[in-house]
Amino acid sequence: MRSYAALCLAFGVQAILANPAPAPAPTPAPSAQQVERAVEERAIERRAATCTFSGSLGYSSASKSKSSCSTIILNALTVPAGKTLDMTDLPDDTTIIFEGETSFAYSEWEGPLFAVSGNNIKVAGEANGGSILNGNGASYWDGEGSNGGKTKPKFFQAHDLTDSLIETLTILNPPVQVFSINGVTNLEVAYVTIDASAGNSEGANTDGFDIGASTGVLIEYATVYNQDDCVAINSGTNITFRNGYCSGGHGLSIGSVGGRDDNTVSGISFTTSTVTESVNGIRIKAIEGDTGTITDVLYDDITLSSISKYGILIEQNYDGGDLHGSPTSGIPITDLTVKNIAGSGAVSSSGYDVVVVCGSGACSSWTWSSVVVTGGKTYASCQNVPSNVACS
Ligand SMILES: *[C@@H]1O[C@H](CO)[C@@H](O)[C@H](O)[C@H]1NC(C)=O
């Protein structure tokens, strides 16, 4: 960063070179523009700082100083009850690094516990994976999730991010839903672990990643232990989930789709991932009676094991519960590819292997190959199934 004096000097030298006369030209007074630029450079220099905020005092200074630091280190912060650790509207190119364990004090409220927005933002944990955001879930879990009981704060709001990265974080004991990804353009989430396994008896609706109204989301190397969808895509385009591991929840889901401002889902791929100890493996839910589009969707190289209800469930009669009432055709599911699904013996004997319930003419152009999902029962009420698909 050049100082103001250096700026004047540089200008002076240039002036000398441009003028071969023996007498050196007097150093010109800096123009208003030059002064302004020097002031701007000083401001950039000031923002170039790395700021570290720690412990219980760090919370309020972190929120106040977020726009004046280009790297913000949040070291073992204690976030007070009922407060969002608010990193929204960051200046471009800000990096946030979580160190140690961040804890969020108990309060019955909606959350979010943490929120971030901006352009070219990086949110990272320590490279050794030691950064934990602890949501204190056991104090909230009452078996009712977001449908009753205590009001539980949502965890991680990643809205309105552009060209950004979230990596190497562990989210421990979320009260309820974890990542809300909405209104983003090009966000990568890598090496994130969500661990709600301590809530296996009383935790509920601990969705891993809820994605809506976004363009360009890549989630890779995620590990999710939870009690609801591992991933749920409600709307958006160009969204990839790959090299993921999902345990304890409701599987890799699209939907429910319908009834929102944005009801278009396209360009989705779930690849090279494992779903185990879960209610469903793969699920696409279109809400009965609503309109929208689900198109250009790929599930490839998915390994299923210990699935209790549905290996693969594709339904156009979702109404808050699975397979209720008559399927409708307002949200067609087209250009769907399901291939290389390894689920031999994966489904419990009381569950169903593959269930497809479509409205008339509403499921077309499906590719279905090397889908081996067995162990469960055959569903007797499949409807309007594309001819190359085995509903078994
Ligand atoms: C799709 O999303 C990824 C991840 O954000 C991005 O890198 C890529 O450029 C996007 N592709 C298109 C065609 O927009």
Side-chain angles (χ1 to χ4, degrees), residues 14-375:
Q14 240 171 16
I16 290 164
L17 291 176
N19 180 359
T27 302
S31 69
Q33 217 176 12
Q34 286 165 338
V35 169
E36 196 182 319
R37 181 148 158 248
V39 167
E40 259 170 37
E41 287 194 0
R42 276 201 298 268
I44 289 167
E45 214 158 343
R46 212 169 34 235
R47 211 181 85 73
T50 294
C51 311
T52 301
F53 304 100
S54 301
S56 52
L57 297 176
Y59 166 79
S60 51
S61 24
S63 303
K64 273 187 221 122
S65 313
K66 65 183 179 185
S67 56
S68 49
C69 313
S70 63
T71 296
I72 300 171
I73 297 178
L74 303 173
N75 173 270
L77 277 197
T78 309
V79 179
K83 298 284 190 198
T84 299
L85 178 53
D86 184 354
M87 292 289 136
T88 55
D89 298 319
L90 294 171
D92 293 1
D93 309 306
T94 301
T95 295
I96 295 175
I97 299 174
F98 282 99
E99 289 181 348
E101 182 162 328
T102 305
S103 65
F104 299 85
Y106 177 84
S107 170
E108 286 194 44
W109 71 303
E110 304 277 346
L113 299 177
F114 175 72
V116 59
S117 69
N119 306 317
N120 287 297
I121 304 301
K122 178 175 166 181
V123 180
E126 295 166 275
N128 66 9
S131 304
I132 294 172
L133 279 64
N134 189 339
N136 193 19
S139 307
Y140 299 90
W141 295 329
D142 54 10
E144 304 213 46
S146 42
N147 295 315
K150 293 177 176 171
T151 304
K152 304 168 185 75
K154 295 186 179 196
F155 211 125
F156 196 118
Q157 180 181 290
H159 291 187
D160 306 317
L161 284 162
T162 303
D163 299 325
S164 294
L165 171 66
I166 297 170
E167 64 174 3
T168 351
L169 288 175
T170 294
I171 310 291
L172 184 64
N173 298 336
V176 68
Q177 292 90 355
V178 184
F179 279 89
S180 170
I181 296 174
N182 200 283
V184 313
T185 304
N186 293 338
L187 170 68
E188 182 178 350
V189 180
Y191 298 99
V192 164
T193 295
I194 294 169
D195 186 358
S197 58
N200 274 347
S201 59
E202 294 286 351
N205 304 124
T206 47
D207 304 29
F209 300 94
D210 288 324
I211 304 169
S214 293
T215 303
V217 178
L218 170 61
I219 300 175
E220 56 182 354
Y221 301 103
T223 302
V224 179
Y225 296 90
N226 70 342
Q227 298 86 23
D228 205 311
D229 295 306
C230 181
V231 184
I233 300 170
N234 293 318
S235 64
T237 186
N238 183 21
I239 298 168
T240 296
F241 181 87
R242 67 186 181 203
N243 301 105
Y245 180 88
C246 304
S247 176
H250 295 179
L252 301 174
S253 302
I254 290 178
S256 57
V257 178
R260 297 183 175 80
D261 289 342
D262 185 350
N263 303 296
T264 298
V265 177
S266 69
I268 309 299
S269 76
F270 292 94
T271 59
T272 317
S273 294
T274 295
V275 182
T276 187
E277 304 287 340
S278 293
V279 174
N280 318 288
I282 291 168
R283 183 164 62 154
I284 301 178
K285 308 183 270 187
I287 297 176
E288 184 190 341
D290 279 338
T291 55
T293 304
I294 300 171
T295 191
D296 188 15
V297 173
L298 169 69
Y299 286 90
D300 183 13
D301 189 19
I302 310 294
T303 301
L304 306 179
S305 61
S306 299
I307 303 298
S308 63
K309 270 196 180 166
Y310 303 106
I312 299 176
L313 170 58
I314 301 172
E315 56 183 325
Q316 289 175 328
N317 60 342
Y318 183 82
D319 73 348
D322 289 318
L323 300 169
H324 290 179
S326 303
T328 56
S329 304
I331 306 174
I333 301 171
T334 56
D335 294 299
L336 167 67
T337 298
V338 179
K339 64 180 185 182
N340 305 317
I341 310 299
S344 178
V347 181
S348 128
S349 58
S350 59
Y352 298 94
D353 295 332
V354 176
V355 175
V356 176
V357 176
C358 292
S360 174
C363 292
S364 60
S365 302
W366 289 15
T367 300
W368 202 265
S369 68
S370 301
V371 175
V372 180
V373 179
T374 64

